Amino acid sequence: MTRLIEIRVEDHESAEWAEATARAIGDRDLRLAAPGTPAEQIDYLIYNVDSGLTDFAAYGNLKAIFNTWAGLEAVLGHVAWPEHVPFCRMVEPGLTEGMVEYFTGHVMRYHIEIDRFIADSAAGRWQKIAPPLARNRTVGILGLGALGQATAEALVNLRFNVRGWSRSPKDIPGVDCFHGQDGLQRVLEQSEILVVILPQTPETIGVLNAQTLAQMRRGARIINAGRGPLIDDDALLDALRTGQIAHATLDVFATEPLPQDHGYWKNDKVTVTPHIAAVTRADTGATAIIQQIDRHLAGEPLLHIVDPARGY
């Protein structure tokens, strides 16, 4: 029996997702639903909340919903789906590769002091100060989910000393893993460069605040591509002003686009990037979704099912 897939994403992305999904389907017994197909005939839904769909009541035979985004804060608490229908967050190679490249690039930027050499070059200064080797530099990672683990593995391969923290215990080769409040403090105290890639949950909002920023090594650098509310903006601006934190690279913000009057703009101790660290590519995303459907049709459990109680 042919199974029907409906795509409900933002209008400007619909054609790209339709083309990519059709390619990923290949000769499988799956088909994209034609426009106007009754909702009760849809088996699988490729979805993001910016499509405007928030009520799934008409989708009486839905087998699974596949979110095109990795982040869930726009969904949880705002969109309700039938309890018996799995809602899967996006984990796909393109998104992971993009995030790893972003974090690795900015870690290396801080590690080899690129900003200092750019400033010296502009000022005509010759300062022969060599950076340490990676094996003598400690990088902390807050968040050891799929993206955090991939980032940790890349940094381990570059020979950095990597310390990781997560809510629950993890075991990653080459990474000193910590959990719990005591573990968080140990990672903060040891990190010269801190990578932040936690999900946004009630427990993680404001995880970097005046108290925790004060626990970090003076002059540490921060790279946040998790979620904006993980950081208390006022506390970070104050830590940057005093030199407790030397610099921050921020890709995500509590309000996006970042308001023009925000203190991060035109701050020479802050690098702002416009939420581009990791985006879902339609081609790799569609392939990941079709592989999920393959699992479901084979009677295997779906991966990356969202638990609303945990927030991810």
Side-chain angles (χ1 to χ4, degrees):
M1 180 178 66
T2 301
R3 307 285 184 166
L4 292 182
I5 302 171
E6 182 176 348
I7 298 173
R8 293 294 295 268
V9 297
E10 297 165 87
D11 288 344
H12 72 275
E13 295 182 333
S14 293
E16 184 181 11
W17 272 95
E19 293 172 6
T21 304
R23 287 195 301 270
I25 288 171
D27 59 0
R28 293 171 174 83
D29 197 14
L30 298 168
R31 181 163 54 85
L32 290 177
T37 299
E40 65 268 17
Q41 295 181 18
I42 303 302
D43 296 286
Y44 300 104
L45 190 63
I46 297 174
Y47 169 80
N48 73 49
V49 70
D50 279 357
S51 66
L53 175 64
T54 58
D55 184 356
F56 298 90
Y59 291 84
N61 292 303
L62 202 58
K63 311 299 188 299
I65 303 168
F66 301 102
N67 199 31
T68 64
W69 299 344
L72 299 168
E73 65 278 359
V75 175
L76 296 175
H78 303 283
V79 176
W81 60 91
E83 292 184 0
H84 68 281
V85 178
F87 189 104
C88 301
R89 60 187 173 85
M90 177 57 72
V91 175
E92 56 95 3
L95 188 153
T96 302
E97 290 171 27
M99 186 68 85
V100 170
E101 291 170 7
Y102 182 91
F103 278 128
T104 302
H106 284 284
V107 166
M108 290 301 299
R109 165 195 171 195
Y110 286 143
H111 171 58
I112 63 175
E113 302 286 354
I114 288 177
D115 291 346
R116 179 169 64 84
F117 289 116
I118 289 173
D120 285 351
S121 179
R125 288 190 299 265
W126 180 278
Q127 297 189 86
K128 197 172 181 180
I129 304 173
L133 296 173
R135 57 186 168 88
N136 295 319
R137 178 86 74 186
T138 298
V139 179
I141 300 178
L142 302 187
L144 294 174
L147 297 175
Q149 289 191 38
T151 300
E153 291 164 0
L155 294 173
V156 167
N157 287 336
L158 289 170
R159 300 183 183 274
F160 286 101
N161 291 316
V162 181
R163 309 283 187 267
W165 180 83
S166 55
R167 289 178 57 192
S168 56
K170 294 289 177 69
D171 184 7
I172 303 170
V175 180
D176 290 334
C177 297
F178 299 87
H179 66 281
Q181 286 303 307
D182 289 344
L184 175 61
Q185 182 170 344
R186 290 184 66 182
V187 171
L188 293 176
E189 289 174 344
Q190 297 174 15
S191 300
E192 298 169 78
I193 301 170
L194 185 70
V195 165
V196 185
I197 192 170
L198 288 162
Q200 180 179 322
T201 70
E203 292 77 17
T204 62
I205 290 175
V207 66
L208 291 184
N209 51 51
Q211 178 182 354
T212 52
L213 289 169
Q215 293 170 351
M216 295 185 66
R217 296 179 60 153
R218 184 169 180 82
R221 282 74 168 259
I222 294 171
I223 309 165
N224 181 26
R227 285 294 178 261
L230 302 178
I231 296 179
D232 179 325
D233 289 346
D234 290 337
L236 177 56
L237 286 167
D238 189 57
L240 290 164
R241 180 184 58 78
T242 64
Q244 170 63 14
I245 302 300
H247 199 279
T249 294
L250 307 174
D251 186 59
V252 287
F253 307 92
T255 300
E256 295 185 1
L258 184 66
Q260 284 298 310
D261 61 352
H262 199 284
Y264 289 147
W265 287 118
K266 299 181 181 179
N267 188 322
D268 61 4
K269 293 185 177 181
V270 178
T271 298
V272 171
T273 59
H275 204 146
I276 46 77
V279 296
T280 302
R281 277 73 175 176
D283 55 350
T284 50
T287 297
I289 289 171
I290 297 304
Q291 290 172 347
Q292 283 267 60
I293 294 174
D294 286 342
R295 292 179 62 89
H296 189 259
L297 293 175
E300 300 174 11
L302 291 168
L303 304 174
H304 319 302
I305 296 176
V306 173
D307 179 353
R310 297 181 69 182
Y312 56 92

